[in-house]
Amino acid sequence: MSVPFDLHTHCTLSFDGKSTGEEMVQAAVRLGMMHYALTDHVDLGDFPDPDFDLEATVTGAAELIPALRTKYSDSIDLIYGVELGQAVHDREAAAKLISENDYDFVLGSVHNIRGHDDFYFLDPAKYDPVKLLDTYFDELLETAEWNGADILAHITYPLRYFSGDYGIDIDMSRYSPVIDRIFITLIKNDKGIEINTSGLRQKLGKTMPDAGMIKRYHDLGGRLLTIGSDAHCTDDLGKGIAEGIQIAKECGFGEVAVYKKREPQFIKI
Ligand SMILES: [Zn+2]
Ligand SMILES: [Zn+2]
């Protein structure tokens, strides 16, 4: 079965990418995608990967993605995206990055909170997950209020580790008020959220966020929704997109967004 789109993916321009941009585009064409976004990491703030050359990623993407878009223009709509991490930790760098690059699509992420490394590295035996999540959602709200990204990515990201890897049962009702404020802020600003399907193929076993939160977003008036696999290699490309579409429908969505020059275009599902 063909996969119509995938709005969140990485190639070797990202520190953790495994397949080249061209391999990813060719795989997307093979899957029959109409719309496909490369959204390589640009993580700002205090915890850059020591082996990661941010400037090389930015300039590499600026050269590679438009060239691939031209080369494969008959086969696929290649969307020039970026996954911008921790924008509010360095608003000046974030603004410069967005103004200097001709992005179609900006995903906003929080991979680490101020003073801590990526959640990937945080052992919950040493830190209180509840307190970390309090700060995480405050920073996510700050990112929504910053209003520089089109879509907030994987809004339950820390659960990939706390719930998925460590099996900790987190009572998410504690965070309902702040998550509502995040949704209301996004809706007011004509911004949205994604269904990140990577959790379906990881220990978490569900999308980020899960159906309950997506339904809440819809009920509050949210209409801008993208779906992405967060694939870092061709094997994972398009994985879970069909399930993501099904969840979107069940939550009341009749269409999802793809982005071109920072403007949403709606695709019926
Ligand atoms: Zn991410
Ligand atoms: Zn990603």
Side-chain angles (χ1 to χ4, degrees), residues 55 58 62 80 93-103:
E55 194 59 36
V58 172
Y80 176 18
K96 187 167 181 285
L97 186 87
I98 289 172
S99 71
E100 289 181 354
N101 293 280
D102 198 15
Y103 295 125

PDB file of all heavy atoms in Angstrom, residues 55 58 62 80 93-103:
ATOM      1  N   GLU A  55      26.528  24.301  11.711  1.00  0.00           N
ATOM      2  CA  GLU A  55      26.634  25.116  10.500  1.00  0.00           C
ATOM      3  C   GLU A  55      26.645  24.215   9.253  1.00  0.00           C
ATOM      4  O   GLU A  55      26.023  24.529   8.242  1.00  0.00           O
ATOM      5  CB  GLU A  55      27.916  25.964  10.584  1.00  0.00           C
ATOM      6  CG  GLU A  55      27.995  27.096   9.577  1.00  0.00           C
ATOM      7  CD  GLU A  55      26.835  28.083   9.704  1.00  0.00           C
ATOM      8  OE1 GLU A  55      26.389  28.333  10.834  1.00  0.00           O
ATOM      9  OE2 GLU A  55      26.372  28.559   8.661  1.00  0.00           O
ATOM     10  N   VAL A  58      23.134  23.038   8.480  1.00  0.00           N
ATOM     11  CA  VAL A  58      22.292  24.105   7.920  1.00  0.00           C
ATOM     12  C   VAL A  58      22.681  24.376   6.467  1.00  0.00           C
ATOM     13  O   VAL A  58      21.819  24.407   5.577  1.00  0.00           O
ATOM     14  CB  VAL A  58      22.407  25.382   8.786  1.00  0.00           C
ATOM     15  CG1 VAL A  58      21.695  26.547   8.126  1.00  0.00           C
ATOM     16  CG2 VAL A  58      21.837  25.120  10.175  1.00  0.00           C
ATOM     17  N   ALA A  62      20.669  23.401   2.942  1.00  0.00           N
ATOM     18  CA  ALA A  62      20.328  24.503   2.018  1.00  0.00           C
ATOM     19  C   ALA A  62      20.795  24.200   0.601  1.00  0.00           C
ATOM     20  O   ALA A  62      20.190  24.663  -0.375  1.00  0.00           O
ATOM     21  CB  ALA A  62      20.943  25.805   2.521  1.00  0.00           C
ATOM     22  N   TYR A  80      11.141  21.269   2.034  1.00  0.00           N
ATOM     23  CA  TYR A  80      12.394  21.640   2.701  1.00  0.00           C
ATOM     24  C   TYR A  80      12.064  22.048   4.140  1.00  0.00           C
ATOM     25  O   TYR A  80      11.611  23.144   4.395  1.00  0.00           O
ATOM     26  CB  TYR A  80      13.041  22.777   1.914  1.00  0.00           C
ATOM     27  CG  TYR A  80      14.303  23.377   2.471  1.00  0.00           C
ATOM     28  CD1 TYR A  80      15.092  22.733   3.424  1.00  0.00           C
ATOM     29  CD2 TYR A  80      14.743  24.611   2.004  1.00  0.00           C
ATOM     30  CE1 TYR A  80      16.251  23.307   3.907  1.00  0.00           C
ATOM     31  CE2 TYR A  80      15.906  25.202   2.472  1.00  0.00           C
ATOM     32  CZ  TYR A  80      16.659  24.549   3.427  1.00  0.00           C
ATOM     33  OH  TYR A  80      17.804  25.131   3.896  1.00  0.00           O
ATOM     34  N   ALA A  93      19.455  33.093  17.677  1.00  0.00           N
ATOM     35  CA  ALA A  93      19.929  32.103  16.697  1.00  0.00           C
ATOM     36  C   ALA A  93      18.743  31.504  15.932  1.00  0.00           C
ATOM     37  O   ALA A  93      18.825  31.271  14.715  1.00  0.00           O
ATOM     38  CB  ALA A  93      20.711  30.997  17.400  1.00  0.00           C
ATOM     39  N   ALA A  94      17.638  31.273  16.632  1.00  0.00           N
ATOM     40  CA  ALA A  94      16.450  30.693  15.979  1.00  0.00           C
ATOM     41  C   ALA A  94      15.904  31.648  14.920  1.00  0.00           C
ATOM     42  O   ALA A  94      15.599  31.244  13.789  1.00  0.00           O
ATOM     43  CB  ALA A  94      15.382  30.381  17.022  1.00  0.00           C
ATOM     44  N   ALA A  95      15.802  32.930  15.276  1.00  0.00           N
ATOM     45  CA  ALA A  95      15.265  33.926  14.337  1.00  0.00           C
ATOM     46  C   ALA A  95      16.182  34.053  13.116  1.00  0.00           C
ATOM     47  O   ALA A  95      15.711  34.137  11.968  1.00  0.00           O
ATOM     48  CB  ALA A  95      15.127  35.273  15.033  1.00  0.00           C
ATOM     49  N   LYS A  96      17.496  34.046  13.367  1.00  0.00           N
ATOM     50  CA  LYS A  96      18.474  34.167  12.277  1.00  0.00           C
ATOM     51  C   LYS A  96      18.362  32.969  11.329  1.00  0.00           C
ATOM     52  O   LYS A  96      18.322  33.129  10.108  1.00  0.00           O
ATOM     53  CB  LYS A  96      19.876  34.227  12.903  1.00  0.00           C
ATOM     54  CG  LYS A  96      21.011  34.517  11.939  1.00  0.00           C
ATOM     55  CD  LYS A  96      22.276  34.861  12.752  1.00  0.00           C
ATOM     56  CE  LYS A  96      23.455  35.191  11.864  1.00  0.00           C
ATOM     57  NZ  LYS A  96      24.080  34.042  11.229  1.00  0.00           N
ATOM     58  N   LEU A  97      18.271  31.793  11.914  1.00  0.00           N
ATOM     59  CA  LEU A  97      18.185  30.569  11.118  1.00  0.00           C
ATOM     60  C   LEU A  97      16.960  30.604  10.194  1.00  0.00           C
ATOM     61  O   LEU A  97      17.043  30.289   9.002  1.00  0.00           O
ATOM     62  CB  LEU A  97      18.079  29.381  12.073  1.00  0.00           C
ATOM     63  CG  LEU A  97      18.128  28.025  11.431  1.00  0.00           C
ATOM     64  CD1 LEU A  97      19.573  27.594  11.278  1.00  0.00           C
ATOM     65  CD2 LEU A  97      17.363  27.014  12.240  1.00  0.00           C
ATOM     66  N   ILE A  98      15.833  31.004  10.762  1.00  0.00           N
ATOM     67  CA  ILE A  98      14.583  31.005   9.989  1.00  0.00           C
ATOM     68  C   ILE A  98      14.615  32.102   8.919  1.00  0.00           C
ATOM     69  O   ILE A  98      14.155  31.889   7.794  1.00  0.00           O
ATOM     70  CB  ILE A  98      13.375  31.151  10.944  1.00  0.00           C
ATOM     71  CG1 ILE A  98      13.208  29.852  11.742  1.00  0.00           C
ATOM     72  CG2 ILE A  98      12.098  31.471  10.173  1.00  0.00           C
ATOM     73  CD1 ILE A  98      12.182  29.908  12.842  1.00  0.00           C
ATOM     74  N   SER A  99      15.192  33.245   9.253  1.00  0.00           N
ATOM     75  CA  SER A  99      15.197  34.336   8.259  1.00  0.00           C
ATOM     76  C   SER A  99      16.190  34.067   7.138  1.00  0.00           C
ATOM     77  O   SER A  99      15.997  34.514   6.012  1.00  0.00           O
ATOM     78  CB  SER A  99      15.481  35.677   8.936  1.00  0.00           C
ATOM     79  OG  SER A  99      16.829  35.720   9.346  1.00  0.00           O
ATOM     80  N   GLU A 100      17.268  33.327   7.419  1.00  0.00           N
ATOM     81  CA  GLU A 100      18.320  33.138   6.414  1.00  0.00           C
ATOM     82  C   GLU A 100      18.116  31.905   5.535  1.00  0.00           C
ATOM     83  O   GLU A 100      18.860  31.692   4.584  1.00  0.00           O
ATOM     84  CB  GLU A 100      19.689  33.038   7.101  1.00  0.00           C
ATOM     85  CG  GLU A 100      20.146  34.370   7.667  1.00  0.00           C
ATOM     86  CD  GLU A 100      21.511  34.291   8.342  1.00  0.00           C
ATOM     87  OE1 GLU A 100      22.061  33.172   8.464  1.00  0.00           O
ATOM     88  OE2 GLU A 100      21.997  35.360   8.747  1.00  0.00           O
ATOM     89  N   ASN A 101      17.139  31.068   5.884  1.00  0.00           N
ATOM     90  CA  ASN A 101      16.933  29.843   5.099  1.00  0.00           C
ATOM     91  C   ASN A 101      15.500  29.786   4.583  1.00  0.00           C
ATOM     92  O   ASN A 101      14.564  30.162   5.281  1.00  0.00           O
ATOM     93  CB  ASN A 101      17.249  28.612   5.956  1.00  0.00           C
ATOM     94  CG  ASN A 101      18.721  28.531   6.302  1.00  0.00           C
ATOM     95  OD1 ASN A 101      19.535  28.102   5.490  1.00  0.00           O
ATOM     96  ND2 ASN A 101      19.084  28.994   7.491  1.00  0.00           N
ATOM     97  N   ASP A 102      15.385  29.278   3.391  1.00  0.00           N
ATOM     98  CA  ASP A 102      14.109  29.333   2.677  1.00  0.00           C
ATOM     99  C   ASP A 102      13.252  28.091   3.002  1.00  0.00           C
ATOM    100  O   ASP A 102      12.823  27.369   2.106  1.00  0.00           O
ATOM    101  CB  ASP A 102      14.427  29.401   1.169  1.00  0.00           C
ATOM    102  CG  ASP A 102      13.248  29.885   0.371  1.00  0.00           C
ATOM    103  OD1 ASP A 102      12.300  30.421   0.974  1.00  0.00           O
ATOM    104  OD2 ASP A 102      13.276  29.705  -0.866  1.00  0.00           O
ATOM    105  N   TYR A 103      13.029  27.870   4.298  1.00  0.00           N
ATOM    106  CA  TYR A 103      12.317  26.659   4.708  1.00  0.00           C
ATOM    107  C   TYR A 103      10.859  26.680   4.256  1.00  0.00           C
ATOM    108  O   TYR A 103      10.199  27.711   4.296  1.00  0.00           O
ATOM    109  CB  TYR A 103      12.331  26.518   6.225  1.00  0.00           C
ATOM    110  CG  TYR A 103      13.705  26.301   6.823  1.00  0.00           C
ATOM    111  CD1 TYR A 103      14.186  27.141   7.819  1.00  0.00           C
ATOM    112  CD2 TYR A 103      14.512  25.255   6.397  1.00  0.00           C
ATOM    113  CE1 TYR A 103      15.445  26.942   8.381  1.00  0.00           C
ATOM    114  CE2 TYR A 103      15.772  25.055   6.949  1.00  0.00           C
ATOM    115  CZ  TYR A 103      16.226  25.904   7.939  1.00  0.00           C
ATOM    116  OH  TYR A 103      17.473  25.707   8.495  1.00  0.00           O
TER     117      TYR A 103
END
